[in-house]
Amino acid sequence: MQPDFTVYIPDYPAPACFVVEDKNTTETSLEVHRGQLSGYMASVQAPRGLLINGASILSYDNVGTSPTATISLSLKNIVRIWRGEDILSGSHTGWEALPPTDRDQLTALYRRYSRQAFADISTLRDELVYTTDNERHTLDGTTWTAHRTRIALTDAHAHPENLVEAVKTLISEVETDVSVQFNAHLSEYELYKHAMREIPGVGNTSRRINEYDHELQQLIPSSVPAREREVLLSEFRRALVGDLPETHLDAVQASIRTYHGSSSSTRRDEISRFFDTSKEFAVRYRTHYEKCYTEYGDAITVKNAFDQWRENMAVTIRPSDEDEAKREFFAQTAYLVIVRMLLIRVFEDKNLVPRSFTDGGTALWFLDVEPTYFRQSLGRSMARLIEIAYDNAQQIYGHFYAEHKVFDWYSPDRNMVIRILHRLAQFDLSRIDRDIIGMVYGQYVNEQHKHQTGLYYTPPEVVHYILDELGYNGPDIVGSRLLDPASGSGAFLVEAGRRLVEAHRTYWKDVGYADIPADRIPEVIDDIRDSLFGLDVNPFACALAEMNLLIQVLDLLRTAYEHRQAVRIERFNVSASYTPFDQRFPGPC
């Protein structure tokens, strides 16, 4: 068996760009053919695949153990809106008539499946891998210089505005990709809910659960206190649908028998029959759920991540509708993906972790690892590369990569990752010590975000003025504490951290040293952490503040590493919390 269409171009470094499986228009449930498409993608080593039927398009990327949904398009609806035949068209036709979600989907379809989307990748990959004299880059970093790399390098310290613009562009591109992946998963989640409404051999799920609930209430004696009754009902319902082990049904049954005491054998038999059928239902429910989870597990994970995010952000983000909440979720997901990868690039250029995203690291990966270990699963290669880079980064500051799981559902595909790596490789980040994350965040927090989320960004000149007025300057600030009760992305904390580093440096120079002694760096970093405190109701802003503070001590960390000094950076004191200050941070600030 072969796919209906397999697309090849000479300048794409893989056997196939993508496959297309074309179904009859009468087949309305395209998603049931995902397994077939997955087999075709694997057989020709294609990273992408399309299921089409003339009315709909489903797009999948091969980035995990099974194809991940990326785009779900109703061509029928889009054509009607485009032609002005739908109420959503308003008074427009064409592109202007389409809702933003449809525009994003069509844009993503073009970005993923146009010839340029694949042809450019070969060039970008080669520029990451080879020197100007066509040799592969080496792991020791000696070939990654302005004269030998094919990529023009810009000093991010001297031209931070260029880096800010590049990062903003990347975030925008990823945000579009995030939105279409999310909406595709959400479409599959609706299919999952539909599938769970009917259990084979049982019938309507909700109706049957309600019937069991009603029967159990009849079995509980009226003498049982209301609170105990509700506990029993809750435990029974949860065990029935797998939220609790089925053994809890036995516990509920035992409680019911105890309440009835020496009731007639008829009553005891009635209780036994009820719980026997309840356990049978629980088994059928679990079996059906496991089957559905196998098919829709990614969609369930994404929906749960979004719901958890909304719960975490409930205090600070109260959008007027569901679409607004989704847009904020997309923006934060994209922002964190790019910022995490940027931080790894900073680590690399400061020689704190092995090269993964540039230099000999990419040469090793694309020339040796991929051809050897990912021949049959090229689309999964980038997920593994990013995982390795994250594992290395956790040795520097584990919290930023081990947490924030609500954003980890998103998997950029191979082509997207190569574009991100190429863009970030254009900058020399070895001297960076500025609040780059804050600068990008300041532009991210535009007027729309201010009004909808209450987020504000304090300009650097205001930060400098206030700290100067507070007298937070010079060697005397060592040992003092500073609290920002609305820290945001850490504008005040970052500048305070920079001043603390300089204060320590001044002290050691005054006593005859050229700089902070390497063996004293661990205690200097500890002092910075123990002296600065931030609170904010926005967990996302707190994550960025932590990273901003981390950047301020990376040069110290590099010096310590060069002198073989062991340094462990404990978590900075930035918290999304409402706990009173005297409980969170004992001692005067």
Side-chain angles (χ1 to χ4, degrees):
M1 297 288 289
Q2 294 292 323
D4 292 322
F5 303 96
T6 303
V7 179
Y8 303 89
I9 59 174
D11 43 358
Y12 181 64
C17 297
F18 58 92
V19 298
V20 181
E21 184 63 15
D22 188 7
K23 297 300 181 182
N24 193 288
T25 307
T26 58
E27 296 197 41
T28 57
S29 300
L30 281 176
E31 65 282 348
V32 301
H33 301 288
R34 177 167 56 176
Q36 181 186 18
L37 182 71
S38 174
Y40 291 153
M41 291 166 68
S43 67
V44 298
Q45 301 176 40
R48 294 176 181 169
L50 291 171
L51 286 172
I52 62 176
N53 65 355
S56 300
I57 297 176
L58 295 182
S59 167
Y60 294 92
D61 284 354
N62 187 13
V63 296
T65 54
S66 62
T68 297
T70 54
I71 300 172
S72 178
L73 270 176
S74 171
L75 293 177
K76 182 179 178 180
N77 291 341
I78 286 177
V79 170
R80 291 182 66 244
I81 297 172
W82 185 283
R83 296 172 63 177
E85 299 171 355
D86 191 284
I87 189 172
L88 294 176
S89 306
S91 58
H92 301 287
T93 59
W95 184 259
E96 294 299 320
L98 296 176
T101 52
D102 286 341
R103 294 185 197 176
D104 286 347
Q105 299 266 39
L106 289 171
T107 299
L109 188 69
Y110 173 77
R111 285 179 176 173
R112 287 175 179 274
Y113 292 95
S114 67
R115 180 186 181 91
Q116 183 181 1
F118 293 91
D120 286 354
I121 294 302
S122 178
T123 300
L124 298 181
R125 190 209 69 155
D126 286 351
E127 289 181 352
L128 284 165
V129 167
Y130 294 111
T131 65
T132 51
D133 48 4
N134 294 322
E135 295 180 358
R136 59 186 289 168
H137 281 293
T138 58
L139 282 170
D140 61 10
T142 57
T143 59
W144 196 263
T145 63
H147 298 296
R148 299 201 63 188
T149 179
R150 296 186 184 185
I151 300 175
L153 300 179
T154 299
D155 185 349
H157 178 79
H159 301 283
E161 68 284 353
N162 292 358
L163 177 60
V164 168
E165 285 303 313
V167 170
K168 282 174 54 185
T169 301
L170 285 174
I171 290 173
S172 177
E173 292 175 3
V174 172
E175 187 176 346
T176 299
D177 197 52
V178 167
S179 70
V180 296
Q181 276 200 34
F182 179 88
N183 287 322
H185 283 303
L186 214 58
S187 296
E188 291 206 329
Y189 186 78
E190 292 302 315
L191 295 173
Y192 157 73
K193 289 200 301 183
H194 179 77
M196 287 300 296
R197 287 177 190 146
E198 296 278 341
I199 298 178
V202 174
N204 184 276
T205 309
S206 297
R207 183 172 62 247
R208 194 68 191 99
I209 290 174
N210 289 336
E211 289 172 355
Y212 278 118
D213 192 79
H214 177 73
E215 291 177 47
L216 180 62
Q217 292 192 55
Q218 303 305 310
L219 290 175
I220 300 176
S222 58
S223 59
V224 175
R227 182 170 181 80
E228 292 182 29
R229 174 184 293 266
E230 188 54 44
V231 169
L232 283 174
L233 287 170
S234 174
E235 189 167 338
F236 174 79
R237 293 168 191 146
R238 294 177 64 194
L240 207 60
V241 298
D243 289 343
L244 289 174
E246 290 168 23
T247 53
H248 282 255
L249 292 175
D250 293 327
V252 174
Q253 181 178 6
S255 297
I256 299 295
R257 286 185 177 279
T258 299
Y259 289 136
H260 280 281
S262 58
S263 297
S264 66
S265 60
T266 302
R267 191 61 164 171
R268 291 197 299 271
D269 290 343
E270 182 182 359
I271 294 172
S272 295
R273 285 194 300 271
F274 171 77
F275 278 96
D276 285 344
T277 58
S278 297
K279 291 173 187 177
E280 182 181 347
F281 173 87
V283 171
R284 288 177 177 270
Y285 184 97
R286 185 186 72 247
T287 301
H288 185 60
Y289 171 79
E290 289 172 351
K291 178 183 177 182
C292 290
Y293 191 87
T294 299
E295 186 169 356
Y296 301 111
D298 288 343
I300 296 170
T301 298
V302 171
K303 182 61 165 59
N304 289 343
F306 177 64
D307 291 342
Q308 182 62 55
W309 172 83
R310 290 204 71 172
E311 182 179 333
N312 294 345
M313 302 292 290
V315 174
T316 183
I317 293 183
R318 299 176 181 176
S320 55
D321 56 40
E322 184 80 356
D323 288 340
E324 192 57 54
K326 290 176 184 175
R327 283 192 289 273
E328 184 66 25
F329 182 60
F330 303 157
Q332 292 192 14
T333 301
Y335 198 98
L336 198 65
V337 167
I338 297 302
V339 164
R340 277 174 163 176
M341 295 181 73
L342 172 62
L343 187 58
I344 288 172
R345 282 285 297 106
V346 175
F347 290 166
E348 290 182 351
D349 282 2
K350 291 183 180 291
N351 297 319
L352 296 173
V353 296
R355 295 274 176 177
S356 299
F357 289 172
T358 52
D359 207 348
T362 46
L364 177 66
W365 192 265
F366 289 117
L367 298 181
D368 297 331
V369 176
E370 267 197 353
T372 303
Y373 298 104
F374 292 92
R375 289 182 62 85
Q376 303 300 322
S377 55
L378 192 63
R380 302 171 195 171
S381 163
M382 293 297 95
R384 185 64 182 129
L385 173 63
I386 291 174
E387 181 184 355
I388 291 172
Y390 282 9
D391 285 346
N392 287 330
Q394 286 192 59
Q395 306 309 309
I396 305 298
Y397 194 69
H399 311 288
F400 193 68
Y401 291 91
E403 298 185 359
H404 318 297
K405 296 296 185 182
V406 293
F407 300 115
D408 289 347
W409 64 270
Y410 170 67
S411 299
D413 78 317
R414 183 176 185 274
N415 290 7
M416 174 66 80
V417 173
I418 290 176
R419 294 182 189 282
I420 294 171
L421 296 183
H422 189 275
R423 194 78 58 86
L424 295 180
Q426 297 171 18
F427 294 93
D428 176 1
L429 304 169
S430 60
R431 298 198 302 145
I432 192 170
D433 62 355
R434 294 170 179 262
D435 182 12
I436 295 296
I437 310 305
M439 292 169 69
V440 177
Y441 183 76
Q443 298 184 36
Y444 160 81
V445 182
N446 53 30
E447 288 301 320
Q448 181 180 4
H449 281 79
K450 287 180 183 178
H451 293 306
Q452 292 171 348
T453 68
L455 302 177
Y456 288 86
Y457 174 71
T458 309
E461 56 271 18
V462 175
V463 172
H464 295 160
Y465 173 79
I466 292 178
L467 289 178
D468 287 344
E469 288 296 303
L470 287 173
Y472 198 84
N473 238 329
D476 291 343
I477 65 174
V478 173
S480 62
R481 293 185 171 192
L482 184 143
L483 167 69
D484 185 349
S487 55
S489 67
F492 281 97
L493 299 178
V494 167
E495 176 59 20
R498 190 193 65 79
R499 294 186 182 200
L500 259 179
V501 172
E502 288 305 311
H504 280 281
R505 185 166 283 128
T506 298
Y507 168 81
W508 287 106
K509 286 182 178 180
D510 287 346
V511 295
Y513 288 83
D515 206 337
I516 301 172
D519 62 340
R520 309 309 290 267
I521 285 177
E523 66 185 61
V524 170
I525 293 177
D526 286 346
D527 179 64
I528 293 169
R529 186 197 66 245
D530 295 339
S531 297
L532 302 176
F533 301 88
L535 285 175
D536 202 280
V537 295
N538 188 333
F540 178 66
C542 290
L544 302 183
E546 282 192 67
M547 188 189 340
N548 267 324
L549 277 172
L550 177 62
I551 290 175
Q552 303 311 303
V553 302
L554 289 184
D555 286 332
L556 292 175
L557 192 63
R558 176 169 60 179
T559 300
Y561 280 12
E562 289 171 350
H563 289 80
R564 302 185 180 279
Q565 288 292 322
V567 181
R568 178 179 177 82
I569 303 180
E570 299 294 341
R571 188 165 192 173
F572 289 105
N573 293 302
V574 183
S575 175
S577 171
Y578 302 96
T579 306
F581 299 159
D582 58 345
Q583 294 180 29
R584 269 296 286 164
F585 310 123
C589 288

